[in-house]
């Protein structure tokens, strides 16, 4: 242990699972509750995918972070308990999986706090947050500050952790994500609501992610992988995740960590830079709304 | 024969062919009846694809299930008879290939029963059903119960068969499907109505499906492959299907079955779980319509 | 020469080039005439692509068929003359590249005959036709009959030539096409009008087409390849076309022919079936418009 | 040095980086300034990607051209200075990254001149231009003439440089681009504004580009590669760019040049053809607006 956020690794892997279940579809329209194929497609994630994922992580001895919407935790408390019992982190992923940028700040606050209350009821300690669809608004960071959270994982301004200065001396860690390390763009498909296009092969996805892990080792990056149990819980996709983890373990110099541990290490590392939120002032004479 | 639904196989393959012909296009607009390229594109399925598929299945000695809309059976009774004579199952796939979720329950009932009547007229026994576009509604399962069908193959809540409790002590088997085991997302393309984007190579599709079959053997899954004769009936795609079947046969521990046989075995297997229909109660204050 | 349309080949290749130039874009909106990138993107086809294609065909000693909109022929008579001088066929591809299904029959007739007049003025004999976007209407075949054309190449009801009975004892050949043998779905991209999505690698496209040619040899099919000079005229794509042709030539039992020669052979071959146009009667109570 | 634009190379490579940062998103709607993930996604380009790109170019000893919107240069003068200090060219890419075809000519002029003024203030000499989204309008070329620029790089009429006759005896060089040599179609993805679909693997992209470079050597082409730091600055994508450059260097007969040097060489080479702007006269009776 050197005090550096990366613990002398060439790269750090955070395996994150967004257990969205039915929420992204319901956020597109409550009417989909009666589309039974669609509902069952989403339920596969917590009901079939998560147990297999927990088994895989046990097998390989690596920790992970599960971002769970409060709505999902409320309906599946046993799943949340099982994740915690296996030693993984549970983090906040809104209550309803509606994008903060699509809500009034008052709605966002109500949704955020309703989610927190679910986890409090279940005795789950929450220190991290990820916005639904990664669509964080400016108001989101006020909520993180007000509730004392330690990190966010929704932005894309770097591929290494950094500290966000939220004002009043409050700093949280940002653990950046990216579209290329998300299984959604590779696998998701539904005709209504219309999502995705061609469904990719796990072989291609493994190639994509392995190449990124390889290259990230040149820059000491955070390989912050975002997986959805209803997608990557399917057999051959989970086999590709297994192969990826085994590859990473085999490299020897890659660390596997929970998000909360990376966040604390980053906040304690003096070499990690502190930044403000993106602040783009727009001249409306140049850019229309 | 052990009594287990999988008959001691590591996985079970159900080869299913949705012989939609012109119906998905007509459901998008009757005006397309005068778009001759489009109509001929769809007619290729029953007219050219199905005979080649029957020949291939004979060659390899594997059984299959053909889901046929009543509208198609009505216009091509000789094709239906040929499928039956080759020992394959014919199953119900709506009358008109309109999605149940897009119809009023009365319309759905009329459509469902009109389809059943076509098969009754042709002396074809029907025990299974698949919704058009897999878009089963809640009302769909009432129809299955009322007409004594034994299985549905439209949901995605698992990758192994399960029993659905339809109330009043009625249980039917669910043989789940998935987008990644469907040729539509890989091959379908039409500019109007606009369908698909990039057309994939059969080599990629074979890789995708073989990887899933391989991985499903770890979980004793149902490899429920959905093929469309107007798509997979094309020469190199059919060659990929042949290669996939030969691969599966070569594994030795994979069973090839008709859907009806898997359904009966699942209903008789005490280890197969029984579930209710997806039942998602939505708070409209959280999720807009 | 056996009298069979395929001349004892295992498959017949017709290399066809749709020299659309600016027309598909103008058909989407005359305003694009002032989008200079877009116009130059399309002009690349006749101006850079066609000369390279002619050189390639000369090199390999294979004949081809060029489908040219009358509007393009009118503006580039030297290109049309060069194609003819190299021994290739020139065929009718509408005047303006507007889809027949999008026009009133009177408009379609005017467009069709204006195209024919352009070729008559240039002394080019026309015996074959392909609809813009392959979107043939029922009226299209009346025009073919009235003007004595010998073949159409717009439908998809088979992958082998057949005869179309147009009434009054008139038969023409149909040389079917298919989306999977078209370079458009693999390569086309423009943001406005919005066309295409991901741009594929020529390596993948070559794999796709070679697999289809291989498999077509099992069914004595017509490998009717549709290429656009503004797409496949680009260097690495043209190299893939070269590789494909060389592969086909190397097989030894694949014939390369102009469309008009295949059409005449098919019409003279008693084993080639005769069919009517697709005739789908639609019950408007079942299918909405 | 032979006087030929290609300097006796089999092909010439111009590595170009469009440093768009936030501008393409703001041009789609000023409201996105408050979508923090999206803003950070774009900021990655100048903040993380550009320094790595400069390091890579130094390592390999190849020059490049950076097309920078004036809005970006105004906000990140240190980045512009760093690019210049490394010996690379900076070229004009509009002020705001709004497409010229979407603006009134007066708006386009104001935007164009505001961009020029930014560079003048920073002491950066500008001789070349690329339209936002490559969407050059007819008026664009009047601006290039009026301001004495020496080249444009927005059109697609060839894959070799040519001279554009702008009237009044003024000639500028055109360095043509193409969608297949752009990283946007391979990698870009955002849900809102909706951009892209499937995200490709750098392995596929490298294959695509290497094949084009190989084939271009047969025609002495300009391999005018367009990269975006927010896309290709990601680790594994940058590794693919490195591999591509190393491959090109290893060929021995491929020249790496800045755009301005190719432009001057082309204007001085008597074998380079001179052309007019695309001039398509449209009959509105044929083509609707």
């Amino acid at each position: 242990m050197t005090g550096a956020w990366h613990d002398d690794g060439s790269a750090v892997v955070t395996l994150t699972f967004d257990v969205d279940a039915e929420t992204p579809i319901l956020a597109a329209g409550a009417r989909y509750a009666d589309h039974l194929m669609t509902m069952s497609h989403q339920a596969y994630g917590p009901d079939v995918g998560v147990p297999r994922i927990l088994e895989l992580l046990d097998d390989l001895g690596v920790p992970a972070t599960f971002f769970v919407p409060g709505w999902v935790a409320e309906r599946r408390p046993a799943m949340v308990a099982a994740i915690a019992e296996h030693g993984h982190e549970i983090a906040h992923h809104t209550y309803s999986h509606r994008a903060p940028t699509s809500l009034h700040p008052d709605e966002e606050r109500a949704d955020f706090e309703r989610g927190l209350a679910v986890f409090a009821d279940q005795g789950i300690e929450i220190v991290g947050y990820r916005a639904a669809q990664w669509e964080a608004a400016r108001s989101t960071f006020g909520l993180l500050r007000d509730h004392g959270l330690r990190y966010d994982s929704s932005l894309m301004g770097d591929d290494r952790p950094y500290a966000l200065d939220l004002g009043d001396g409050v700093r949280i860690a940002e653990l950046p994500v990216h579209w290329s390390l998300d299984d959604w763009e590779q696998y998701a498909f539904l005709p209504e609501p219309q999502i995705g296009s061609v469904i990719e092969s796990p072989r291609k996805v493994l190639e994509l992610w392995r190449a990124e892990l390889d290259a990230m080792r040149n820059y000491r990056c955070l390989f912050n992988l975002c997986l959805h149990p209803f997608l990557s819980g399917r057999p051959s996709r989970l086999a590709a995740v297994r192969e990826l983890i085994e590859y990473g373990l085999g490299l020897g110099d890659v660390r596997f960590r929970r998000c909360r541990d990376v966040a604390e290490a980053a906040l304690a590392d003096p070499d990690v830079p502190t930044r403000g939120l993106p602040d783009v002032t727009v001249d409306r004479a140049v850019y229309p709304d």
Side-chain angles (χ1 to χ4, degrees), chain A:
Chain A
M1 192 65 177
T2 64
W5 74 270
H6 46 71
D7 196 14
D8 281 340
S10 65
V12 176
V13 173
T14 40
L15 300 170
T16 75
F17 296 91
D18 287 8
V19 192
D20 297 339
E22 297 87 354
T23 60
I25 306 302
L26 296 175
R31 64 188 176 284
Y32 294 120
D34 287 322
H35 289 215
L36 299 192
M37 173 273 288
T38 306
M39 287 299 105
S40 64
H41 178 253
Q42 300 302 122
Y44 180 98
D47 296 347
V48 180
V50 168
R52 291 186 190 164
I53 289 164
L54 292 176
E55 188 185 34
L56 173 70
L57 297 172
D58 275 359
D59 251 32
L60 299 175
V62 289
T65 303
F66 290 73
F67 290 90
V68 185
W71 190 95
V72 175
E74 210 168 50
R75 273 156 191 75
R76 291 165 170 112
M79 180 197 74
V80 175
I83 294 169
E85 278 156 26
H86 282 260
H88 305 296
E89 176 186 2
I90 291 157
H92 191 10
H93 192 35
T94 77
Y95 175 74
S96 62
H97 208 275
R98 287 174 296 170
T101 51
S102 72
L103 299 177
H104 184 279
D106 291 344
E107 288 178 301
E108 187 194 2
R109 176 172 293 271
D111 188 87
F112 186 95
E113 296 180 345
R114 188 169 176 183
L116 278 186
V118 172
F119 293 112
D121 281 353
Q122 301 186 352
I124 303 288
E125 189 200 31
I126 295 292
V127 302
Y129 175 82
R130 176 173 285 169
Q133 301 174 47
W134 297 337
E135 287 283 16
R138 207 163 295 279
S139 45
T140 307
F141 292 88
L143 293 168
L144 296 177
R145 188 191 53 201
D146 293 354
H147 288 279
L149 270 63
R150 297 290 286 166
Y151 74 88
D152 169 68
S153 183
S154 314
L155 301 184
M156 302 194 180
D158 206 326
D159 42 27
R160 294 156 301 193
Y162 52 96
L164 276 172
D165 178 353
L166 298 184
D168 304 326
V170 177
R171 289 162 74 244
I172 65 168
E174 175 61 41
L175 307 184
V177 288
H178 189 247
W179 301 110
S180 64
L181 294 179
D182 181 16
D183 58 359
W184 188 282
E185 291 66 43
Q186 306 297 327
Y187 294 140
F189 183 86
L190 271 182
E192 199 193 344
Q194 209 232 302
I195 292 173
S197 53
V198 161
I199 296 174
E200 292 293 50
S201 156
R203 186 63 26 202
K204 177 249 175 156
V205 179
L206 179 60
E207 174 195 293
L208 175 75
W209 291 342
R210 201 152 69 179
E212 188 70 355
L213 179 57
D214 281 339
M216 280 188 153
R217 294 167 69 216
N218 298 324
Y219 301 102
R220 281 200 195 279
C221 295
L222 176 68
F223 184 89
N224 191 8
L225 188 65
C226 179
L227 302 173
H228 295 78
F230 80 93
L231 296 170
S232 284
R234 296 268 164 192
S236 58
R237 297 168 181 173
L238 198 56
V241 172
R242 173 186 287 272
E243 211 174 317
L244 178 72
I245 296 172
E246 288 173 342
Y247 178 74
L249 290 170
L251 292 170
D253 61 1
V254 170
R255 312 283 179 244
F256 286 75
R257 295 285 185 267
R258 296 182 305 175
C259 287
R260 62 185 299 165
D261 301 323
V262 175
E264 294 305 337
L267 289 170
D269 180 345
D271 292 338
V272 165
T274 297
R275 299 181 188 157
L277 289 175
D279 191 9
V280 179
T281 309
V282 176
D283 178 355
R284 298 295 167 123
V286 174
Y287 293 118
D289 204 43

